[in-house]
Amino acid sequence: MTTLEASDATKPLYRPVRFPQRRTLVERRADGTLILRCDRALPQIAQRSFADFVALWAAERGDTPAFCERAADGAWRALSWSELWRQVRAVGAALLEMGLGPQRPLMLLSGNSIEQAVVLLAAEYAGIPSAPVSPTYALLSKDFARLKQICERVPPGALFVQETGPFARALAALPLNDVPVIAVKEAQAGHVAWDTLAALAPSDVQLQALDRAHAAIRDDDTARVLFTSGSTGAPKAVRLTYRNLGAVAAYYSDNLAWLRESQPVFLDWLPWHHGLGGVLHLGRTIQFGATHYIDDGRPLPGMIERTLRNLREVAPTIYTSVPSAWAVLSNELERDPLLAQSLFGKASFFGYGGASMPVEVWNRIQSVAEKTLGERITFCSGLAATETSGIGTYCGWATDTPGNVGTPSLGTEVKLLPLPGDDGRYEIRMRGPNVFGGYIGQPDLTAAAFDEEGFFRFGDAVRLADPADPSKGMEFAGRTVEDFKLANGSWVRTGASRLALVDRCAPLLSDAVICGHDRDYLAALAWPNVAACQRLAPELASLDAKALVAHPLVIGALRERLAQQKPAGATLVIERLMLMAEPPSLDANEIADKGYVNQATTRARRAHLIEELYENEPPAHIVRARR
């Protein structure tokens, strides 16, 4: 084990992190391709998946809380490790009694909750595939088209909802026939009430059936089905096997071994229907016997306040969120010392994922850390996908700026193929036991997802942090599928341009969409950082987003920043910018639950705004870099 901190006395010290020290092996091919792998093999562990750890912690930490969430009265309600194990066994046996199994999966329509943790683990323990679905498909959709497509792709053997009322329209729209619905609240006639299910005392015969089902699980059996979609088309059903989950657990057993020394505490909002929240964060809680507080907030107006309240009460051992959440947190941390002390006080390190973090946000948080602790906190990140079970590469050392996604994690191999343009970018691909077992019912997409050597194609680009030494890690260099050409044939590296714009206009923008496909110059649509814009002048303090996006003071401040742009590397000057009051739409697939903005979808949905951007004489609310 090694601790990593600043070695140069002139640099600020970082709180030590405790990841094992590893070397990166490099194979260089004649065509410029690089193959990177860790010098250590993935360790062998006895557990096949995360559910296998529950009994261990029930025995060792039985009375301590496993999961906590806010009750209706605002207080925290908790489920202990011993009660979690009892309910996992009871619910697992009941799911088998309902006829669920490898060919009849459990589909979950609602979001994170204590009951959802139980039913996910019960299904995993019993060898029943679970298929958690984004709640937006059932709550915000008008025609439920995506939800219907999902049910056609993966016909459910049973459905789980936290509360019947909000999901009533979706349930009525689905051809359920005799598919049972498990409801925690407001169970209707014919539904299976959760209280009844969880309170069952399985007979010896039922427990023996559960034990047989558990023992019959094989590595290539489907454990979880996660749904992902690109900019268009029906969601793809990613089949994660027990081998995949076991690879994550084996990786954790080495990388986070120090978490066994005391009971960790996590506070997390990231959704369990995604790999980061549902495989890595939920799995980490189970594997290390943590107390997991379910954050009922989100990095969205009207919901971030809940996260702030929770962070004032819960001091996490590790805290990871998306860059858009960190952007909001940076504002609050600067003006709330108690929040800063709670967040920084016990954190071993921070993490971010889902998108690149602006340098300005990173700097502001580190500044607060230095004032609060007298040291900085390492931000860790990596590059992964749902298809790689949420792990792939990882940077577990202190860096002076964000963006380094590290080196291959244990058991994974990375292939880097040089991209045209002579700008040092590589397309990144990956293989290993963590890589998925294919898209369900879509063999053509499965075949296209892999190259001839079995490496998964991410569709992402990276650069070596040090071209002479790949062990220094890689820097995320954008989505190759998002890049486009201007009318003059120049390639636009969308990811780099977006980050450069947000940094140049910091802290006034929260995110942006780069425009200009087949146009003469670059422009952008962007969302304001409302709190930062309000601080520009006293008369702005009470204005909402709709008023701010067209206010002359905001337009003038952004014009000054755009005028200072200079082309650098892969980025080009943004000539025009339009602020938008309407937030990115989850239902329209403009933004993922984790906060990543889908550039292509947003451009298509807001094409009328792009036309306005490129008018010969644009309206006054459009920011122009040059008059």
Side-chain angles (χ1 to χ4, degrees):
M1 191 77 68
T2 185
T3 59
L4 302 172
E5 56 186 65
S7 57
D8 185 340
T10 65
K11 294 182 179 181
L13 289 177
Y14 284 81
R15 174 171 289 183
V17 292
R18 302 176 59 188
F19 296 117
Q21 195 170 22
R22 305 187 185 94
R23 291 191 308 116
T24 300
L25 306 179
V26 183
E27 173 189 338
R28 299 180 184 271
R29 295 181 176 176
D31 62 357
T33 297
L34 303 179
I35 305 294
L36 310 182
R37 57 179 67 90
C38 182
D39 67 333
R40 294 168 58 187
L42 199 66
Q44 298 293 317
I45 62 173
Q47 294 80 9
R48 181 181 287 116
S49 71
F50 298 111
D52 286 343
F53 290 93
V54 180
L56 166 69
W57 297 118
E60 292 192 16
R61 297 176 179 168
D63 294 332
T64 64
F67 289 94
C68 303
E69 69 176 329
R70 294 282 185 190
D73 62 0
W76 291 105
R77 69 182 184 102
L79 184 72
S80 69
W81 276 101
S82 59
E83 180 61 12
L84 174 64
W85 176 231
R86 189 199 67 76
Q87 289 191 22
V88 164
R89 297 272 286 171
V91 174
L95 294 178
L96 291 174
E97 285 279 307
M98 291 181 194
L100 273 63
Q103 305 306 317
R104 298 193 69 222
L106 171 70
M107 185 169 288
L108 303 96
L109 301 186
S110 49
N112 302 6
S113 68
I114 289 177
E115 292 79 14
Q116 181 165 134
V118 172
V119 79
L120 278 170
L121 290 166
E124 185 179 306
Y125 188 83
I128 300 166
S130 59
V133 177
S134 171
T136 59
Y137 294 157
L139 294 176
L140 300 182
S141 180
K142 295 179 180 179
D143 59 6
F144 305 108
R146 286 178 178 263
L147 184 59
K148 292 174 182 177
Q149 291 168 335
I150 284 171
C151 290
E152 290 175 3
R153 183 73 63 199
V154 183
L159 286 170
F160 172 90
V161 294
Q162 188 71 20
E163 188 173 358
T164 301
F167 294 90
R169 290 179 56 249
L171 292 173
L174 296 176
L176 296 180
N177 298 323
D178 295 325
V179 173
V181 174
I182 302 168
V184 178
K185 299 177 182 178
E186 300 179 359
Q188 304 298 306
H191 290 178
V192 179
W194 176 263
D195 287 345
T196 301
L197 192 70
L200 290 175
S203 66
D204 290 342
V205 172
Q206 290 171 321
L207 289 176
Q208 290 168 6
L210 176 64
D211 291 339
R212 286 195 300 272
H214 181 70
I217 295 171
R218 298 294 176 259
D219 285 345
D220 289 327
D221 290 346
T222 302
R224 197 84 57 86
V225 179
L226 300 181
F227 297 92
T228 182
S229 62
S231 58
T232 60
K236 299 189 292 289
V238 177
R239 185 174 75 89
L240 297 183
T241 65
Y242 283 87
R243 185 191 311 277
N244 298 146
L245 298 190
V248 178
Y251 164 70
Y252 272 164
S253 72
D254 179 83
N255 207 49
L256 295 178
W258 49 275
L259 286 178
R260 298 192 190 96
E261 296 171 9
S262 60
Q263 187 167 19
V265 173
F266 301 130
L267 173 74
D268 193 45
W269 66 270
L270 289 163
W272 293 343
H273 58 269
H274 279 299
L276 180 57
V279 177
L280 297 195
H281 287 192
L282 180 60
R284 180 183 65 186
T285 290
I286 303 303
Q287 184 163 349
F288 295 104
T291 295
H292 185 113
Y293 288 83
I294 299 172
D295 181 8
D296 57 345
R298 290 289 186 278
L300 297 170
M303 298 189 72
I304 189 65
E305 293 79 8
R306 301 179 192 177
T307 292
L308 298 175
R309 174 193 179 187
N310 294 336
L311 280 173
R312 291 185 184 99
E313 297 182 19
V314 179
T317 304
I318 299 168
Y319 190 71
T320 297
S321 198
V322 297
S324 60
W326 283 113
V328 177
L329 280 172
S330 66
N331 295 328
E332 300 301 325
L333 291 167
E334 288 171 338
R335 60 192 184 196
D336 189 340
L338 294 179
L339 174 66
Q341 186 59 53
S342 180
L343 177 58
F344 297 159
K346 298 180 180 179
S348 299
F349 61 88
F350 292 153
Y352 64 94
S356 299
M357 176 175 284
V359 173
E360 180 264 347
V361 172
W362 187 92
N363 284 335
R364 291 170 65 194
I365 291 172
Q366 295 294 12
S367 177
V368 178
E370 290 185 55
K371 292 177 183 177
T372 306
L373 305 171
E375 61 186 356
R376 293 185 170 190
I377 294 184
T378 298
F379 268 93
C380 299
S381 191
L383 184 63
T386 302
E387 289 90 341
T388 67
S389 308
I391 62 171
T393 69
Y394 195 67
C395 178
W397 60 87
T399 59
D400 292 330
T401 57
N404 195 317
V405 296
T407 54
S409 56
L410 291 177
T412 64
E413 292 181 283
V414 164
K415 179 192 285 189
L416 301 180
L417 293 88
L419 287 169
D422 295 325
D423 59 357
R425 298 199 318 155
Y426 293 85
E427 180 197 344
I428 183 170
R429 302 177 183 178
M430 185 177 296
R431 69 182 178 188
N434 57 303
V435 178
F436 77 134
Y439 299 113
I440 294 176
Q442 296 177 299
D444 53 335
L445 293 182
T446 298
F450 294 91
D451 69 12
E452 67 284 354
E453 293 183 292
F455 284 87
F456 170 68
R457 307 173 191 264
F458 276 96
D460 288 334
V462 297
R463 286 190 183 87
L464 295 176
D466 180 350
D469 186 2
S471 68
K472 298 291 180 64
M474 296 169 281
E475 296 174 348
F476 181 69
R479 297 276 296 158
T480 57
V481 293
E482 290 181 345
D483 294 346
F484 58 84
K485 285 184 178 181
L486 293 174
N488 63 10
S490 299
W491 273 104
V492 177
R493 310 304 188 195
T494 299
S497 295
R498 170 190 158 274
L499 269 180
L501 174 65
V502 173
D503 280 333
R504 168 61 63 188
C505 296
L508 301 180
L509 301 184
S510 62
D511 213 329
V513 174
I514 305 301
C515 311
H517 180 68
D518 287 340
R519 304 276 188 170
D520 293 328
Y521 56 86
L522 283 186
L525 301 173
W527 290 277
N529 180 334
V530 172
C533 291
Q534 289 172 333
R535 290 197 295 267
L536 284 172
E539 59 265 40
L540 302 180
S542 62
L543 299 186
D544 60 12
K546 188 175 181 180
L548 288 169
V549 298
H551 198 284
L553 288 177
V554 177
I555 302 303
L558 288 169
R559 184 183 301 117
E560 290 179 8
R561 287 162 169 78
L562 290 191
Q564 298 170 6
Q565 295 177 101
K566 294 180 181 179
T571 64
L572 300 171
V573 168
I574 305 292
E575 298 285 354
R576 296 182 181 182
L577 181 148
M578 181 193 296
L579 289 178
M580 301 176 292
E582 181 199 355
S585 168
L586 280 166
D587 196 35
N589 200 34
E590 286 187 318
I591 188 170
D593 295 300
K594 294 184 296 181
Y596 182 78
V597 173
N598 188 314
Q599 297 272 318
T601 299
T602 306
R603 286 195 295 261
R605 182 171 180 264
R606 306 188 187 220
H608 62 291
L609 299 181
I610 297 175
E611 292 301 323
E612 194 174 339
L613 266 175
Y614 284 94
E615 288 180 3
N616 289 333
E617 293 296 330
H621 65 270
I622 289 181
V623 184
R624 287 185 281 179
R626 291 185 288 268
R627 285 290 186 180

